[in-house]
Amino acid sequence: MSADLGIRPSARTTQSFADPAHRRRYRFALAALIVGAVVITALLLCWDNPYVPFSERWLRISRMRVSGVLVVAVVTFCQAFATVAFQTATNNRIITPSIMGFESLYVLIQTAIVFFFGVAGVSGFDPFTRFLLQSALMVVFAVLLYSWLLSGRFGNLHVMLLIGIILGTGMGALSTFLQQMLDPNEFDVLAARLFGSITNANTDFLWFVVPVCAAVGGTIWMLSKRLDLIGLGRDISTNLGLNHKRQVMLVLTLVAVLSAMSTSLFGPMTFLGFLVATLAYAIADTYDHRLLLPMAWLLGYVALGLAYFLLKHVFTLVSAATIIVELIGGLVFLVVILRKGWL
């Protein structure tokens, strides 16, 4: 019929790429990011090391910097995998776990700990136990909120967005109220916990965070085929034999764990995940999550690692690294919102 109308039928494919040129562009971009990540890692470990290369003192200083590199890798890994998986589960490429009020709960927990127990109480409380408790609270909150609202009878994106914003705003207002009643010394201690910083990250817990994030992120990557089906929507994925509700709840639980680990280790990062996910969609230009997830992680590592290096060794403003990345991510978010005109 199309030939009779003079319309040339379009070529269709079930592969991850539309044509060989598309595949080559992806491989070139991935290779460039890998090279960039290796170069940035080498710079972070070796730059401004005054001793003879590969001497005992040189190696000692480089090993001291490994924790900072691991923090950058873990945070960007969690943000990239959590955001891409969350946006696929919600079938929306704008909202993220952070925007939905997840980090407002972290701020409220930290504020409540300082308010009720004081600086002395915080110092006397076992740090690892506190880390586990706040992570568990964030996971429970996320699972109850996202899974219920997205998979239950209220499974409407706009309802979820509205409730998430209301809860986030309410927790933020309560945190502000409690902070106003703190004395200046307690507020200074709290402020250091509420600011995402590579240098202030809880590196003592990397032995626990790295295996957990690797296991959860690996599970998300192994679920890539199911994420591809979830991205088609509830009706289509159900018709193809996927239990949509169960898989969405599983993905949201994994996303909650990654978000909790990242926030508890590093602190709030509102727009990093959105930035790397948006760039990954644009550069990879494919629906295949096996290809999107590593692309998003490498983009995040290069972006945050480069900002950390420049502001630590060039401009000596290391505390502003996350601020710069968040500013760029916020601007990208506004541009996407204004171009689309809808959520």
PDB file of all heavy atoms in Angstrom, residues 105-106 109-110 113 127 129-139 193 202 260 263-265:
ATOM      1  N   LEU A 105      14.284  14.161  53.521  1.00  0.00           N
ATOM      2  CA  LEU A 105      14.242  13.253  54.659  1.00  0.00           C
ATOM      3  C   LEU A 105      15.626  13.149  55.300  1.00  0.00           C
ATOM      4  O   LEU A 105      15.747  13.105  56.537  1.00  0.00           O
ATOM      5  CB  LEU A 105      13.756  11.871  54.218  1.00  0.00           C
ATOM      6  CG  LEU A 105      13.715  10.795  55.307  1.00  0.00           C
ATOM      7  CD1 LEU A 105      12.753  11.192  56.417  1.00  0.00           C
ATOM      8  CD2 LEU A 105      13.324   9.442  54.716  1.00  0.00           C
ATOM      9  N   TYR A 106      16.672  13.116  54.484  1.00  0.00           N
ATOM     10  CA  TYR A 106      18.037  13.073  55.025  1.00  0.00           C
ATOM     11  C   TYR A 106      18.315  14.314  55.878  1.00  0.00           C
ATOM     12  O   TYR A 106      18.866  14.206  56.982  1.00  0.00           O
ATOM     13  CB  TYR A 106      19.037  12.979  53.876  1.00  0.00           C
ATOM     14  CG  TYR A 106      20.483  13.153  54.298  1.00  0.00           C
ATOM     15  CD1 TYR A 106      21.196  12.096  54.849  1.00  0.00           C
ATOM     16  CD2 TYR A 106      21.125  14.379  54.145  1.00  0.00           C
ATOM     17  CE1 TYR A 106      22.522  12.252  55.231  1.00  0.00           C
ATOM     18  CE2 TYR A 106      22.441  14.543  54.523  1.00  0.00           C
ATOM     19  CZ  TYR A 106      23.138  13.474  55.070  1.00  0.00           C
ATOM     20  OH  TYR A 106      24.452  13.649  55.453  1.00  0.00           O
ATOM     21  N   ILE A 109      16.431  14.012  59.164  1.00  0.00           N
ATOM     22  CA  ILE A 109      17.044  13.041  60.073  1.00  0.00           C
ATOM     23  C   ILE A 109      18.270  13.645  60.750  1.00  0.00           C
ATOM     24  O   ILE A 109      18.436  13.559  61.976  1.00  0.00           O
ATOM     25  CB  ILE A 109      17.417  11.753  59.312  1.00  0.00           C
ATOM     26  CG1 ILE A 109      16.161  11.014  58.854  1.00  0.00           C
ATOM     27  CG2 ILE A 109      18.280  10.843  60.190  1.00  0.00           C
ATOM     28  CD1 ILE A 109      16.448   9.821  57.960  1.00  0.00           C
ATOM     29  N   GLN A 110      19.139  14.281  59.967  1.00  0.00           N
ATOM     30  CA  GLN A 110      20.343  14.882  60.532  1.00  0.00           C
ATOM     31  C   GLN A 110      19.987  15.996  61.521  1.00  0.00           C
ATOM     32  O   GLN A 110      20.599  16.129  62.591  1.00  0.00           O
ATOM     33  CB  GLN A 110      21.227  15.432  59.411  1.00  0.00           C
ATOM     34  CG  GLN A 110      21.786  14.387  58.480  1.00  0.00           C
ATOM     35  CD  GLN A 110      22.726  13.424  59.183  1.00  0.00           C
ATOM     36  OE1 GLN A 110      23.417  13.778  60.136  1.00  0.00           O
ATOM     37  NE2 GLN A 110      22.744  12.186  58.719  1.00  0.00           N
ATOM     38  N   ILE A 113      18.594  14.501  64.797  1.00  0.00           N
ATOM     39  CA  ILE A 113      19.637  13.886  65.633  1.00  0.00           C
ATOM     40  C   ILE A 113      20.359  14.955  66.447  1.00  0.00           C
ATOM     41  O   ILE A 113      20.551  14.820  67.658  1.00  0.00           O
ATOM     42  CB  ILE A 113      20.628  13.100  64.756  1.00  0.00           C
ATOM     43  CG1 ILE A 113      19.947  11.847  64.191  1.00  0.00           C
ATOM     44  CG2 ILE A 113      21.862  12.704  65.559  1.00  0.00           C
ATOM     45  CD1 ILE A 113      20.810  11.078  63.222  1.00  0.00           C
ATOM     46  N   PRO A 127      29.105   5.884  64.940  1.00  0.00           N
ATOM     47  CA  PRO A 127      28.896   6.440  63.594  1.00  0.00           C
ATOM     48  C   PRO A 127      28.332   5.429  62.600  1.00  0.00           C
ATOM     49  O   PRO A 127      27.464   5.769  61.788  1.00  0.00           O
ATOM     50  CB  PRO A 127      30.297   6.908  63.187  1.00  0.00           C
ATOM     51  CG  PRO A 127      31.026   7.118  64.462  1.00  0.00           C
ATOM     52  CD  PRO A 127      30.488   6.076  65.395  1.00  0.00           C
ATOM     53  N   THR A 129      26.516   2.744  63.217  1.00  0.00           N
ATOM     54  CA  THR A 129      25.114   2.466  63.549  1.00  0.00           C
ATOM     55  C   THR A 129      24.217   3.599  63.073  1.00  0.00           C
ATOM     56  O   THR A 129      23.128   3.357  62.532  1.00  0.00           O
ATOM     57  CB  THR A 129      24.954   2.274  65.061  1.00  0.00           C
ATOM     58  OG1 THR A 129      25.808   1.211  65.503  1.00  0.00           O
ATOM     59  CG2 THR A 129      23.514   1.930  65.417  1.00  0.00           C
ATOM     60  N   ARG A 130      24.670   4.840  63.279  1.00  0.00           N
ATOM     61  CA  ARG A 130      23.899   5.978  62.799  1.00  0.00           C
ATOM     62  C   ARG A 130      23.777   5.950  61.277  1.00  0.00           C
ATOM     63  O   ARG A 130      22.716   6.249  60.713  1.00  0.00           O
ATOM     64  CB  ARG A 130      24.573   7.281  63.248  1.00  0.00           C
ATOM     65  CG  ARG A 130      23.775   8.537  62.900  1.00  0.00           C
ATOM     66  CD  ARG A 130      24.400   9.788  63.458  1.00  0.00           C
ATOM     67  NE  ARG A 130      25.680  10.102  62.817  1.00  0.00           N
ATOM     68  CZ  ARG A 130      26.843  10.066  63.415  1.00  0.00           C
ATOM     69  NH1 ARG A 130      26.934   9.725  64.701  1.00  0.00           N
ATOM     70  NH2 ARG A 130      27.952  10.373  62.771  1.00  0.00           N
ATOM     71  N   PHE A 131      24.852   5.588  60.616  1.00  0.00           N
ATOM     72  CA  PHE A 131      24.840   5.480  59.151  1.00  0.00           C
ATOM     73  C   PHE A 131      23.812   4.447  58.695  1.00  0.00           C
ATOM     74  O   PHE A 131      23.030   4.693  57.765  1.00  0.00           O
ATOM     75  CB  PHE A 131      26.242   5.109  58.666  1.00  0.00           C
ATOM     76  CG  PHE A 131      26.361   4.925  57.186  1.00  0.00           C
ATOM     77  CD1 PHE A 131      26.634   6.007  56.360  1.00  0.00           C
ATOM     78  CD2 PHE A 131      26.211   3.676  56.608  1.00  0.00           C
ATOM     79  CE1 PHE A 131      26.741   5.840  54.992  1.00  0.00           C
ATOM     80  CE2 PHE A 131      26.321   3.498  55.247  1.00  0.00           C
ATOM     81  CZ  PHE A 131      26.589   4.591  54.434  1.00  0.00           C
ATOM     82  N   LEU A 132      23.808   3.285  59.337  1.00  0.00           N
ATOM     83  CA  LEU A 132      22.861   2.235  58.958  1.00  0.00           C
ATOM     84  C   LEU A 132      21.421   2.647  59.232  1.00  0.00           C
ATOM     85  O   LEU A 132      20.524   2.389  58.416  1.00  0.00           O
ATOM     86  CB  LEU A 132      23.186   0.946  59.708  1.00  0.00           C
ATOM     87  CG  LEU A 132      24.470   0.212  59.311  1.00  0.00           C
ATOM     88  CD1 LEU A 132      24.651  -1.020  60.184  1.00  0.00           C
ATOM     89  CD2 LEU A 132      24.441  -0.179  57.849  1.00  0.00           C
ATOM     90  N   LEU A 133      21.179   3.299  60.368  1.00  0.00           N
ATOM     91  CA  LEU A 133      19.817   3.687  60.725  1.00  0.00           C
ATOM     92  C   LEU A 133      19.249   4.715  59.759  1.00  0.00           C
ATOM     93  O   LEU A 133      18.107   4.593  59.301  1.00  0.00           O
ATOM     94  CB  LEU A 133      19.784   4.213  62.164  1.00  0.00           C
ATOM     95  CG  LEU A 133      19.933   3.182  63.279  1.00  0.00           C
ATOM     96  CD1 LEU A 133      19.980   3.866  64.645  1.00  0.00           C
ATOM     97  CD2 LEU A 133      18.802   2.164  63.231  1.00  0.00           C
ATOM     98  N   GLN A 134      20.047   5.751  59.440  1.00  0.00           N
ATOM     99  CA  GLN A 134      19.526   6.770  58.541  1.00  0.00           C
ATOM    100  C   GLN A 134      19.346   6.216  57.131  1.00  0.00           C
ATOM    101  O   GLN A 134      18.393   6.584  56.421  1.00  0.00           O
ATOM    102  CB  GLN A 134      20.440   7.993  58.536  1.00  0.00           C
ATOM    103  CG  GLN A 134      21.796   7.794  57.904  1.00  0.00           C
ATOM    104  CD  GLN A 134      22.681   9.020  58.049  1.00  0.00           C
ATOM    105  OE1 GLN A 134      22.451   9.862  58.918  1.00  0.00           O
ATOM    106  NE2 GLN A 134      23.688   9.126  57.199  1.00  0.00           N
ATOM    107  N   SER A 135      20.227   5.315  56.710  1.00  0.00           N
ATOM    108  CA  SER A 135      20.061   4.689  55.398  1.00  0.00           C
ATOM    109  C   SER A 135      18.806   3.833  55.357  1.00  0.00           C
ATOM    110  O   SER A 135      18.044   3.855  54.383  1.00  0.00           O
ATOM    111  CB  SER A 135      21.288   3.839  55.058  1.00  0.00           C
ATOM    112  OG  SER A 135      22.463   4.622  55.005  1.00  0.00           O
ATOM    113  N   ALA A 136      18.565   3.071  56.439  1.00  0.00           N
ATOM    114  CA  ALA A 136      17.369   2.226  56.495  1.00  0.00           C
ATOM    115  C   ALA A 136      16.099   3.061  56.488  1.00  0.00           C
ATOM    116  O   ALA A 136      15.114   2.712  55.816  1.00  0.00           O
ATOM    117  CB  ALA A 136      17.422   1.348  57.744  1.00  0.00           C
ATOM    118  N   LEU A 137      16.094   4.183  57.209  1.00  0.00           N
ATOM    119  CA  LEU A 137      14.920   5.056  57.221  1.00  0.00           C
ATOM    120  C   LEU A 137      14.628   5.613  55.837  1.00  0.00           C
ATOM    121  O   LEU A 137      13.463   5.675  55.414  1.00  0.00           O
ATOM    122  CB  LEU A 137      15.125   6.195  58.222  1.00  0.00           C
ATOM    123  CG  LEU A 137      15.007   5.837  59.706  1.00  0.00           C
ATOM    124  CD1 LEU A 137      15.372   7.037  60.570  1.00  0.00           C
ATOM    125  CD2 LEU A 137      13.594   5.355  60.030  1.00  0.00           C
ATOM    126  N   MET A 138      15.661   6.011  55.112  1.00  0.00           N
ATOM    127  CA  MET A 138      15.463   6.551  53.769  1.00  0.00           C
ATOM    128  C   MET A 138      14.954   5.486  52.810  1.00  0.00           C
ATOM    129  O   MET A 138      14.107   5.753  51.950  1.00  0.00           O
ATOM    130  CB  MET A 138      16.756   7.181  53.262  1.00  0.00           C
ATOM    131  CG  MET A 138      17.071   8.513  53.902  1.00  0.00           C
ATOM    132  SD  MET A 138      18.484   9.344  53.150  1.00  0.00           S
ATOM    133  CE  MET A 138      19.820   8.398  53.860  1.00  0.00           C
ATOM    134  N   VAL A 139      15.451   4.274  52.948  1.00  0.00           N
ATOM    135  CA  VAL A 139      14.990   3.186  52.075  1.00  0.00           C
ATOM    136  C   VAL A 139      13.524   2.884  52.346  1.00  0.00           C
ATOM    137  O   VAL A 139      12.718   2.733  51.415  1.00  0.00           O
ATOM    138  CB  VAL A 139      15.858   1.929  52.282  1.00  0.00           C
ATOM    139  CG1 VAL A 139      15.241   0.733  51.557  1.00  0.00           C
ATOM    140  CG2 VAL A 139      17.270   2.168  51.763  1.00  0.00           C
ATOM    141  N   ARG A 193      27.171  18.560  57.909  1.00  0.00           N
ATOM    142  CA  ARG A 193      26.563  17.294  57.502  1.00  0.00           C
ATOM    143  C   ARG A 193      25.565  17.456  56.358  1.00  0.00           C
ATOM    144  O   ARG A 193      25.255  16.485  55.665  1.00  0.00           O
ATOM    145  CB  ARG A 193      25.839  16.648  58.694  1.00  0.00           C
ATOM    146  CG  ARG A 193      26.752  16.308  59.863  1.00  0.00           C
ATOM    147  CD  ARG A 193      25.931  15.825  61.053  1.00  0.00           C
ATOM    148  NE  ARG A 193      26.779  15.462  62.167  1.00  0.00           N
ATOM    149  CZ  ARG A 193      27.296  14.257  62.357  1.00  0.00           C
ATOM    150  NH1 ARG A 193      27.026  13.306  61.497  1.00  0.00           N
ATOM    151  NH2 ARG A 193      28.077  14.005  63.390  1.00  0.00           N
ATOM    152  N   ASN A 202      31.980  10.302  54.387  1.00  0.00           N
ATOM    153  CA  ASN A 202      32.278   9.280  55.396  1.00  0.00           C
ATOM    154  C   ASN A 202      33.079   8.143  54.768  1.00  0.00           C
ATOM    155  O   ASN A 202      32.558   7.058  54.497  1.00  0.00           O
ATOM    156  CB  ASN A 202      30.981   8.741  56.005  1.00  0.00           C
ATOM    157  CG  ASN A 202      30.227   9.789  56.778  1.00  0.00           C
ATOM    158  OD1 ASN A 202      30.828  10.601  57.468  1.00  0.00           O
ATOM    159  ND2 ASN A 202      28.904   9.796  56.662  1.00  0.00           N
ATOM    160  N   ALA A 260      20.007   5.979  49.079  1.00  0.00           N
ATOM    161  CA  ALA A 260      20.323   6.070  50.502  1.00  0.00           C
ATOM    162  C   ALA A 260      21.829   5.973  50.738  1.00  0.00           C
ATOM    163  O   ALA A 260      22.393   6.714  51.554  1.00  0.00           O
ATOM    164  CB  ALA A 260      19.595   4.972  51.269  1.00  0.00           C
ATOM    165  N   THR A 263      23.464   9.350  49.500  1.00  0.00           N
ATOM    166  CA  THR A 263      23.172  10.495  50.358  1.00  0.00           C
ATOM    167  C   THR A 263      23.835  10.358  51.722  1.00  0.00           C
ATOM    168  O   THR A 263      24.372  11.325  52.261  1.00  0.00           O
ATOM    169  CB  THR A 263      21.657  10.653  50.526  1.00  0.00           C
ATOM    170  OG1 THR A 263      21.030  10.719  49.241  1.00  0.00           O
ATOM    171  CG2 THR A 263      21.325  11.921  51.287  1.00  0.00           C
ATOM    172  N   SER A 264      23.809   9.161  52.306  1.00  0.00           N
ATOM    173  CA  SER A 264      24.410   8.960  53.613  1.00  0.00           C
ATOM    174  C   SER A 264      25.929   9.094  53.557  1.00  0.00           C
ATOM    175  O   SER A 264      26.555   9.568  54.502  1.00  0.00           O
ATOM    176  CB  SER A 264      24.033   7.583  54.167  1.00  0.00           C
ATOM    177  OG  SER A 264      22.640   7.476  54.345  1.00  0.00           O
ATOM    178  N   LEU A 265      26.528   8.669  52.453  1.00  0.00           N
ATOM    179  CA  LEU A 265      27.985   8.748  52.320  1.00  0.00           C
ATOM    180  C   LEU A 265      28.460  10.154  52.003  1.00  0.00           C
ATOM    181  O   LEU A 265      29.424  10.654  52.600  1.00  0.00           O
ATOM    182  CB  LEU A 265      28.452   7.795  51.211  1.00  0.00           C
ATOM    183  CG  LEU A 265      29.937   7.857  50.826  1.00  0.00           C
ATOM    184  CD1 LEU A 265      30.798   7.287  51.943  1.00  0.00           C
ATOM    185  CD2 LEU A 265      30.185   7.117  49.521  1.00  0.00           C
TER     186      LEU A 265
END
